[in-house]
Amino acid sequence: MNRRRGRSGRKLSLDEVSSDFLGNTNEEPSALVSSSSSGKVSKTLVKSSDSANRNVNSNVVRSRKSRREVASDEAICINKESNSEALIALTAGFPSDSLKDEEIEVGVVGVVGGIEQCNYILIRNHIITKWRENVSIWLTKDMFVDIIPERRSGLLDSAYNYLLSYGYVNFGVALAIKDKIPTRPSKGRVIVIGAGLAGLAAARQLMLFGFEVIVLEGWKRAGGRVYTKKMEGGNKVATADLGGSVLTGTLGNPLGLLARQLSYTLHTVRDQCPLYRADGKPVDEYLDKKVEAAYNELLDKASKVRQDLSPVISLGEALETLRKDFSVATNDEEMSLFNWHLANLEYANAGLLSQLSLAFWDQDDPYDMGGDHCFLPGGNGRLVHALAENVPIIFEKTVYAIRYGRDSVKVITAGQLFEGDMALCTVPLGVLKSGSITFIPELPQQKLDTIKRLGFGLLNKFALLFPYVFWDSNVDIFGHGADDSSSQADGNHVDEHLDKKVVLPDKVSSGKKFSQDWKHRSISSLQEYSNLEEVRSLTTNQYKGQFLTCQSPKA
């Protein structure tokens, strides 16, 4: 589902990705970093000494020191695809025409700005593009020797070593990459805390770099908030992603690259999303388009006026004020449709509009990855399984404390102590907020303040298995409005709004999985219902559900 615009599940295409992206991924000892491959994941990196960090960066540093002086009065021409290659680099998280802060910190060029930097960026973007063309190979520097002018070989060394050391190329689960993992580690021992996607990916990369790695996981399984569960009922079988399920943009999404390496076919969520009234009848097409256009226009107006308003004003308050000022949704039917869009916006942001800042709610838009929204038939657990292969994981090891110093790191669990040279903490933000892990010495105050200030949304899922397909199988998503506005307060949709999704099971032509997301409530058991009317009765009677979105991608 699109976070901003209407109902489309499509993310920006490559040509539509903003070129105003400004990357900032500086990482320092004990630094808190956020990523969003499958939801917000926070990482706290605790280093025992500066020398450990130099192990990873040594190739880049050596490249910089050994780089010969190059002429700075002319730009190179690699090919005629520099613009498209810049956009591909953009989807990988790089500014299209400038350096990331970490590149500057590492010293990929002698002088920031000027022709040397421009040439470096051209080479960097070209390397990224070539690997993205075939992510199943091990990309070598020799592949570019005949392309990059010999006098620019120093910049080639710098760009290649940087991209390799920081994991922008040659990562993942392809056979050619797994074969590069040393059989005997030659570097220090790293304790990774958490076997979610972040922990597993980091563990594999550290193993590739030659580190000895051990992963501690509190649960009995890997994957963290990605959990694929098999559902059975009668003669129907399905897999339900009870956690993260949608790959939001696949052009630069690392999970999309993993799927390519594994030759997994992704299902693209189609744009069509018909809406139905509370009585089950389709919404008038003209009225549907009218309200959606008005909703998008109000979002644009809110973006334009926010710079002149107080930063404490919520997005919900602004939209409701603008709706009244411009006489949008003036009757019950239009209001029902407008409320559906508000509910969809809340779902996409996993938060109430009354709690979303008008000034900053979309500040991460420049970081969006281009491409379609997709599902992986069979569930994202397939990706977890591939990442966890041959990674040393010890389950049911809840970490209570991390003691770190100049020479070693000690990780304390119930009745057991693990020692290493570094500890990489990939637990969710909620765990850091709870204080259930004690850091000795305490994390810097700046980190503690950041952990305290950061917020996150909440979505619960309810999965249902149907005996047959009762909806239009030609669409992946449909929406259901309601004529009851009892859950509206000051124009902002409140806790009880529902967002339901339907997904096809593996290798089954009917009997699809039905999942329901709503805020602050959940039902623990999985039950079977034969039609939408029974589901409506269950949800509206017990939870006063107002809005419905269903998805049914084919396996």
Side-chain angles (χ1 to χ4, degrees):
M1 301 298 292
N2 194 303
R3 231 168 62 78
R4 282 182 59 86
R5 295 289 181 181
R7 309 188 292 272
S8 170
R10 183 184 67 86
K11 294 291 277 185
L12 295 176
S13 68
L14 190 59
D15 292 336
E16 295 171 310
V17 177
S18 169
S19 61
D20 295 329
F21 175 88
L22 293 176
N24 186 348
T25 57
N26 284 347
E27 191 170 38
E28 57 184 270
S30 305
L32 181 71
V33 184
S34 294
S35 69
S36 54
S37 59
S38 62
K40 299 288 183 182
V41 178
S42 59
K43 300 189 291 187
T44 300
L45 180 62
V46 179
K47 300 187 178 78
S48 61
S49 67
D50 291 340
S51 62
N53 188 40
R54 294 193 199 103
N55 286 332
V56 180
N57 299 332
S58 58
N59 286 337
V60 180
V61 175
R62 283 197 297 270
S63 169
R64 181 181 60 176
K65 289 182 178 179
S66 63
R67 188 168 60 241
R68 4 179 215 180
E69 295 296 327
V70 295
S72 58
D73 59 348
E74 60 183 50
I76 63 174
C77 179
I78 299 175
N79 54 36
K80 297 181 180 180
E81 307 297 329
S82 59
N83 288 337
S84 61
E85 290 184 351
L87 289 175
I88 291 174
L90 188 66
T91 66
F94 286 88
S96 60
D97 57 359
S98 59
L99 301 177
K100 298 180 81 168
D101 286 354
E102 69 183 10
E103 290 180 286
I104 297 174
E105 182 180 343
V106 169
V108 294
V109 294
V111 179
V112 177
I115 295 298
E116 183 187 22
Q117 175 177 307
C118 292
N119 288 334
Y120 166 85
I121 291 173
L122 289 172
I123 295 172
R124 177 199 70 189
N125 295 350
H126 184 63
I127 294 173
I128 293 172
T129 299
K130 286 304 177 184
W131 190 67
R132 291 299 176 93
E133 289 176 356
N134 186 357
V135 295
S136 294
I137 65 170
W138 180 267
L139 195 73
T140 67
K141 190 163 47 180
D142 291 341
M143 296 177 180
F144 303 94
V145 171
D146 295 334
I147 302 174
I148 306 301
E150 195 273 339
R151 65 185 185 280
R152 306 299 185 191
S153 60
L155 292 179
L156 173 60
D157 290 344
S158 183
Y160 178 83
N161 290 335
Y162 166 77
L163 294 172
L164 179 64
S165 297
Y166 279 77
Y168 291 107
V169 298
N170 294 343
F171 67 85
V173 295
L175 181 61
I177 295 170
K178 292 192 290 186
D179 286 344
K180 293 291 183 178
I181 297 177
T183 56
R184 293 186 179 182
S186 59
K187 298 182 180 178
R189 189 171 193 248
V190 181
I191 303 170
V192 177
I193 303 168
L197 290 178
L200 294 175
R204 295 195 72 89
Q205 197 69 8
L206 288 168
M207 291 168 63
L208 184 64
F209 290 156
F211 288 91
E212 178 188 355
V213 174
I214 183 173
V215 180
L216 304 180
E217 170 56 49
W219 289 353
K220 297 181 180 180
R221 61 171 181 83
R225 288 168 289 173
V226 174
Y227 180 35
T228 302
K229 184 174 179 60
K230 184 178 181 179
M231 298 174 58
E232 297 181 83
N235 62 342
K236 306 301 179 183
V237 179
T239 52
D241 270 317
L242 303 185
S245 54
V246 183
L247 304 187
T248 53
T250 54
L251 290 180
N253 194 324
L255 297 181
L257 298 183
L258 291 182
R260 287 176 57 192
Q261 291 177 337
L262 295 164
S263 298
Y264 290 165
T265 300
L266 298 176
H267 173 84
T268 300
V269 180
R270 290 167 287 190
D271 289 350
Q272 297 86 352
C273 179
L275 295 186
Y276 296 88
R277 302 186 320 193
D279 59 6
K281 296 180 180 179
V283 170
D284 177 76
E285 183 177 357
Y286 171 78
L287 183 62
D288 185 7
K289 292 180 178 180
K290 173 186 174 182
V291 174
E292 182 173 2
Y295 161 79
N296 286 331
E297 186 176 353
L298 289 189
L299 273 183
D300 285 337
K301 292 182 183 297
S303 296
K304 293 177 181 178
V305 302
R306 61 183 170 185
Q307 58 187 1
D308 299 323
L309 300 176
S310 169
V312 300
I313 295 178
S314 71
L315 176 62
E317 182 181 358
L319 287 176
E320 177 60 11
T321 299
L322 290 170
R323 184 191 69 81
K324 292 178 179 179
D325 288 347
F326 290 92
S327 300
V328 173
T330 56
N331 58 52
D332 291 344
E333 189 172 12
E334 290 181 354
M335 195 65 211
S336 176
L337 291 176
F338 188 80
N339 283 337
W340 186 92
H341 287 288
L342 296 182
N344 182 47
L345 188 60
E346 288 186 331
Y347 157 68
N349 288 276
L352 304 180
L353 297 186
S354 59
Q355 297 175 0
L356 289 176
S357 165
L358 170 64
F360 304 112
W361 75 276
D362 59 350
Q363 63 181 334
D364 59 342
D365 277 4
Y367 296 85
D368 279 354
M369 292 172 282
D372 294 318
H373 282 190
C374 296
F375 284 97
L376 175 60
N380 291 329
R382 300 170 68 191
L383 300 177
V384 172
H385 178 76
L387 283 173
E389 181 184 9
N390 295 326
V391 174
I393 306 174
I394 303 179
F395 295 103
E396 297 185 85
K397 293 296 180 183
T398 301
V399 173
Y400 295 105
I402 302 174
R403 184 185 297 273
Y404 61 102
R406 293 187 60 85
D407 301 320
S408 66
V409 172
K410 297 180 180 180
V411 178
I412 303 168
T413 66
Q416 195 166 358
L417 175 68
F418 297 86
E419 295 189 66
D421 298 293
M422 290 184 287
L424 180 63
C425 189
T426 68
V427 299
L429 176 61
V431 175
L432 295 176
K433 281 181 171 292
S434 71
S436 60
I437 297 179
T438 301
F439 291 89
I440 307 169
E442 185 61 273
L443 293 175
Q445 190 61 45
Q446 181 182 2
K447 312 303 179 191
L448 297 175
D449 292 342
T450 301
I451 292 171
K452 182 178 180 180
R453 289 195 305 268
L454 281 174
F456 55 89
L458 173 65
L459 287 173
N460 291 317
K461 285 190 172 183
F462 177 37
L464 293 171
L465 183 63
F466 289 93
Y468 62 90
V469 179
F470 59 83
W471 54 89
D472 183 358
S473 61
N474 294 317
V475 299
D476 295 323
I477 308 168
F478 65 86
H480 172 256
D483 55 10
D484 179 10
S485 60
S486 61
S487 63
Q488 290 294 123
D490 299 326
N492 299 325
H493 202 273
V494 296
D495 297 352
E496 292 87 355
H497 103 254
L498 304 182
D499 190 283
K500 308 187 182 74
K501 305 176 181 178
V502 180
V503 183
L504 276 172
D506 301 332
K507 301 178 182 179
V508 179
S509 60
S510 63
K512 304 182 181 180
K513 182 254 297 186
F514 187 97
S515 71
Q516 171 186 19
D517 297 343
W518 71 90
K519 297 182 176 65
H520 310 309
R521 301 182 183 273
S522 65
I523 297 178
S524 59
S525 62
L526 298 176
Q527 304 178 43
E528 294 186 28
Y529 296 89
S530 60
N531 56 54
L532 181 60
E533 192 58 40
E534 293 182 29
V535 177
R536 286 183 57 213
S537 176
L538 167 76
T539 57
T540 56
N541 290 341
Q542 295 188 28
Y543 300 98
K544 292 188 177 180
Q546 300 297 311
F547 304 97
L548 177 68
T549 302
C550 296
Q551 301 176 345
S552 54
K554 297 181 178 179

